[in-house]
Amino acid sequence: MFNAIDRDAERQRVMNRRTLVLGGLKAAALSTLAARLYYLQVIEGDHYTTLAEDNRISLRLLAPSRGIIVDRSGVPLAVNEQNFRAVLVSERTDDVDETLDKVVKLLPISDADRRRVLRDVDRLRSFAPVTLRENLTWDQVSAIEVNLPDLPGVSIEVGQVRSYPFGEQAAHILGYVGVVSETELQNARDPLLSLPGFRIGKSGVERSHDMALRGTAGTSQLEVNAVGRVVRELARNDGQPGHQVTLTIDAKLQYYAQQRLSEHPSAAAVVLDVNTGGILALASHPSFDPNQFAMGIPQDVYDGLIKNEASPLTNKVVAGHYAPGSTFKPMTALAGLEAGVDPTHRVFCSGSYDFGGHTFHCYKKGGHGSVDMFDAIRWSCDVYFYDLSRRIGVDRIADMARRFGLGDKTGLDLPGEKGGIIPDTKWKRRTYKENWYDGETLSVAIGQGYVLATPIQLAVMCARLANGGKAVQPHLTKAVEQESAEQTNWPDIGVKPEFIQRVLAGMAGVTSAGGTAYAARITQPGMEMGGKSGTAQVRRITMAERNAGLLKAERPWKDRDNALFIAFAPVQAPKYAVAVIVEHGVAGGAVAGPIARDLLLEVQLMEAARAQQADAGTAAPADGTQTTSAPRGTPR
């Protein structure tokens, strides 16, 4: 009996120990769980609350409106217009290829566009919209909207597209915008560039002022579910639109200049204020329509522009290299005056000049007879400048030309500008490892040989002459937003005023009776112009052609001489300077001269008309506040 009692007591003790052990383990587990909950909810509570909020809230960038570009009077040159585009969100469709197959039946999507869409789908997050096609017509929008139930992931969005009301009339100034390339995206720090369909400036003012025009991105705060799908928009900041850029250009004069040049296969012209350097018109013909680039230019149209021998995509004012011909002679004359040459010294022109065993011809067969410096400029006598250059040497001529803006870029606020060539003895040793030959000086004296300049450089040269020797710099930007970008205090070149006045008198003689451009003179009292013609050889005349009396206009177009003209007006108190080049136009005074005349007359008539309007209190606002858009391709 006692043994049975002992066994029961032992079993009871075992049960008690087991109960204590299990109770301890449970207590330990509950304590650990409580400690972990305390750690997560109390100690790390703020951290995990933030993470949870981030999972629920998604911030997305919004593209700001691009700043507009206006002319000096506020006429819109580049604006934004509403457009519609079809987009695809890949997470909302089970099969992207199948959806694209259906879309292609409604929209003209090329194979290249399809490859681009598939590339963007792979590159972007699945909930990010990918642009299928922009600038949809109403019919295309309607077709998509009606078929949306069969187009999973496809929707229509409202966006903006860049528009250029003047089309090709100001294309070389404004440039165009285009989508961001892969290289630009890789080098970019601005997150805006990663937005699908975002466009940046590719050329012209659109490129040079791209950062100011671009604006600041906005944000959209979206509530999304666990897989990133948008539930609703919680907050929205539209960002800051880009700044308005005001140009020195006069839209009406710009249109007139472009129309005037269109009478020739290839030409360029620029008009600038001789005191401020502000460019009033900058035209290059043929041109192109920047609206096609903004909307996505078809490949066949682009190929046509590239193959055009007149180079419509090249801004010839800043990137065209030409021998200046006789428009260069004022530099030779000034160099001679500074070297102490007597301007009344006379040289006999028989029609040719023998030097170093070679015969250098004057453009006038039979010669000009006895000429001094005034006659030599007025008649553009080559023999006089041959003789003058021999006495002063090429280095003096080159130094004077560079002081007047030739030989290097002008610093114009427009991309793509090229420099020029003003040769001297050091330049030839550096470039060709050869010594300078005196005979080469004779070619330089008349703007031929190695000399190359752009039309904008020739306009600057003429402006610096017209303003009495101030080193004015050309510019297109009048103001960014309300901040003025213009300068009027220019340093002095350091040429005696009496020397410049003597050269200007000769240039005034060019358009006076007996001058080479008398037929291209301005007859309105008080608006007369002075100028200098130039006819630059593109291909040397052979002796056989000279003996045969072959007319220049009878050669193939590409072999004909270039026609140039520089001018200023009014003669008594110059305000404007102009440079004109007509490629293969044959004769400077007869072909380029009338264009220069018309541009200088037009700008002076416009100035007079606006002065009358101002006196009558009806002048248009000049502070950039005008917002009425002119019809595309026409001035106001």
Side-chain angles (χ1 to χ4, degrees):
M1 179 179 180
F2 287 113
N3 289 336
I5 292 173
D6 290 341
R7 284 197 297 274
D8 290 341
E10 183 61 24
R11 282 198 293 269
Q12 186 63 43
R13 286 195 293 272
V14 170
M15 287 297 295
N16 289 340
R17 285 198 298 269
R18 289 177 177 174
T19 301
L20 288 173
V21 170
L22 289 174
L25 291 174
K26 289 181 178 178
L30 288 173
S31 298
T32 302
L33 182 59
R36 183 60 180 168
L37 288 174
Y38 178 80
Y39 175 80
L40 293 176
Q41 295 185 2
V42 179
I43 298 178
E44 294 290 335
D46 293 342
H47 172 68
Y48 286 105
T49 299
T50 303
L51 289 180
E53 192 72 9
D54 285 349
N55 283 335
R56 188 174 68 87
I57 306 299
S58 175
L59 282 177
R60 294 186 181 177
L61 290 177
L62 298 175
S65 294
R66 191 170 178 83
I68 66 170
I69 304 173
V70 301
D71 86 336
R72 62 192 299 110
S73 299
V75 177
L77 301 174
V79 297
N80 304 308
E81 290 183 350
Q82 188 182 65
N83 79 333
F84 296 92
R85 59 174 177 254
V87 300
L88 171 69
V89 177
S90 61
E91 69 167 10
R92 298 179 186 172
T93 177
D94 295 331
D95 191 329
V96 172
D97 283 314
E98 182 181 350
T99 301
L100 287 176
D101 289 340
K102 295 177 180 177
V103 172
V104 168
K105 297 177 181 177
L106 304 173
L107 297 178
I109 295 179
S110 65
D111 292 341
D113 285 338
R114 183 172 183 132
R115 289 193 295 271
R116 187 261 306 162
V117 170
L118 294 175
R119 187 170 60 247
D120 288 346
V121 167
D122 291 336
R123 183 168 58 93
L124 301 174
R125 301 283 295 274
S126 61
F127 54 77
V130 172
T131 303
L132 297 176
R133 187 173 176 82
E134 293 188 282
N135 309 307
L136 301 182
T137 65
W138 276 114
D139 290 341
Q140 291 169 334
V141 171
S142 300
I144 292 293
E145 292 283 358
V146 169
N147 291 278
L148 278 181
D150 295 328
L151 301 172
V154 177
S155 61
I156 298 294
E157 288 188 351
V158 180
Q160 289 186 336
V161 64
R162 200 62 159 170
S163 176
Y164 304 93
F166 283 79
E168 66 180 25
Q169 308 300 328
H172 287 110
I173 299 172
L174 302 174
Y176 56 87
V177 296
V179 296
V180 182
S181 67
E182 287 294 331
T183 302
E184 291 166 335
L185 185 61
Q186 291 172 0
N187 298 329
R189 295 182 179 178
D190 189 343
L192 272 175
L193 271 61
S194 63
L195 287 175
F198 188 77
R199 282 169 164 75
I200 60 174
K202 295 289 187 176
S203 68
V205 173
E206 292 279 24
R207 179 179 171 183
S208 60
H209 285 293
D210 183 61
M211 294 305 295
L213 292 166
R214 194 182 294 177
T216 306
T219 55
S220 175
Q221 193 177 50
L222 303 173
E223 182 180 356
V224 297
N225 60 18
V227 295
R229 186 171 290 115
V230 177
V231 177
R232 59 174 174 156
E233 186 178 62
L234 300 175
R236 186 181 182 90
N237 173 11
D238 289 327
Q240 293 294 323
H243 293 306
Q244 172 179 300
V245 174
T246 303
L247 302 183
T248 58
I249 291 296
D250 186 295
K252 185 176 180 181
L253 184 68
Q254 174 67 27
Y255 179 86
Y256 180 79
Q258 198 72 40
Q259 290 296 304
R260 192 67 178 81
L261 296 184
S262 65
E263 299 170 11
H264 301 277
S266 182
V270 57
V271 183
L272 58 84
D273 186 312
V274 303
N275 296 310
T276 68
I279 294 178
L280 300 169
L282 188 155
S284 182
H285 175 79
S287 185
F288 62 92
D289 186 355
N291 291 292
Q292 291 183 316
F293 284 85
M295 295 184 179
I297 187 169
Q299 188 62 45
D300 59 330
V301 176
Y302 183 74
D303 290 343
L305 292 171
I306 293 295
K307 294 175 182 176
N308 189 330
E309 66 175 359
S311 304
L313 294 180
T314 299
N315 183 349
K316 299 181 179 70
V317 173
V318 300
H321 264 163
Y322 306 98
S326 294
T327 62
F328 186 80
K329 288 174 179 173
M331 296 296 100
T332 306
L334 274 179
L337 291 169
E338 195 168 71
V341 171
D342 183 354
T344 63
H345 173 74
R346 305 192 76 82
V347 174
F348 185 80
C349 173
S350 63
S352 62
Y353 190 84
D354 294 328
F355 177 75
H358 297 278
T359 298
F360 294 82
H361 294 276
C362 183
Y363 77 91
K364 184 179 181 181
K365 287 185 177 180
H368 293 94
S370 177
V371 297
D372 60 8
M373 183 176 287
F374 176 83
D375 293 333
I377 296 174
R378 179 170 61 137
W379 295 334
S380 199
C381 176
D382 293 328
V383 168
Y384 177 90
F385 287 98
Y386 293 151
D387 183 79
L388 176 60
S389 67
R390 279 193 57 201
R391 287 185 281 158
I392 62 177
V394 69
D395 289 343
R396 284 194 175 96
I397 299 173
D399 174 66
M400 185 61 68
R402 292 181 183 128
R403 288 153 71 183
F404 276 80
L406 302 180
D408 204 355
K409 297 178 182 177
T410 65
L412 179 66
D413 48 342
L414 199 65
E417 183 182 13
K418 290 186 177 180
I421 296 177
I422 297 298
D424 59 12
T425 53
K426 291 181 181 178
W427 173 85
K428 190 174 181 187
R429 278 198 294 271
R430 185 173 63 250
T431 306
Y432 293 104
K433 316 300 180 189
E434 295 178 0
N435 291 326
W436 185 265
Y437 298 108
D438 290 340
E440 294 172 325
T441 302
L442 276 63
S443 295
V444 170
I446 61 169
Q448 295 274 183
Y450 299 112
V451 183
L452 287 177
T454 62
I456 187 64
Q457 292 171 6
L458 294 176
V460 169
M461 178 189 77
C462 187
R464 292 181 177 183
L465 280 168
N467 68 20
K470 300 294 183 183
V472 64
Q473 295 281 350
H475 59 272
L476 279 164
T477 307
K478 183 178 177 65
V480 177
E481 205 63 31
Q482 297 299 324
E483 186 174 347
S484 174
E486 289 205 283
Q487 179 181 345
T488 55
N489 297 323
W490 302 104
D492 195 273
I493 290 175
V495 177
K496 290 183 177 180
E498 55 266 35
F499 296 162
I500 293 177
Q501 288 304 316
R502 188 172 289 277
V503 171
L504 290 178
M507 294 174 70
V510 169
T511 53
S512 301
T516 57
Y518 177 67
R521 69 192 183 284
I522 293 177
T523 57
Q524 276 77 354
M527 296 185 181
E528 297 87 350
M529 75 174 187
K532 185 69 195 77
S533 59
T535 303
Q537 280 187 343
V538 173
R539 186 178 68 81
R540 182 181 292 276
I541 304 173
T542 65
M543 186 58 69
E545 290 174 336
R546 188 180 297 278
N547 293 334
L550 180 67
L551 297 177
K552 295 177 179 178
E554 294 174 346
R555 299 179 193 164
W557 180 74
K558 295 285 284 184
D559 291 340
R560 298 173 189 172
D561 295 344
N562 287 332
L564 302 100
F565 205 90
I566 60 171
F568 60 91
V571 169
Q572 297 304 321
K575 293 182 179 179
Y576 308 105
V578 62
V580 178
I581 164 79
V582 178
E583 287 190 345
H584 315 295
V586 179
V591 177
I595 298 176
R597 173 201 60 201
D598 293 347
L599 292 176
L600 286 174
L601 179 59
E602 181 72 11
V603 68
Q604 292 181 91
L605 291 174
M606 287 168 44
E607 179 190 31
R610 286 170 180 164
Q612 290 179 352
Q613 289 178 340
D615 290 341
T618 59
D623 57 357
T625 58
Q626 182 172 341
T627 56
T628 303
S629 176
R632 176 167 296 175
T634 58
R636 57 193 172 80

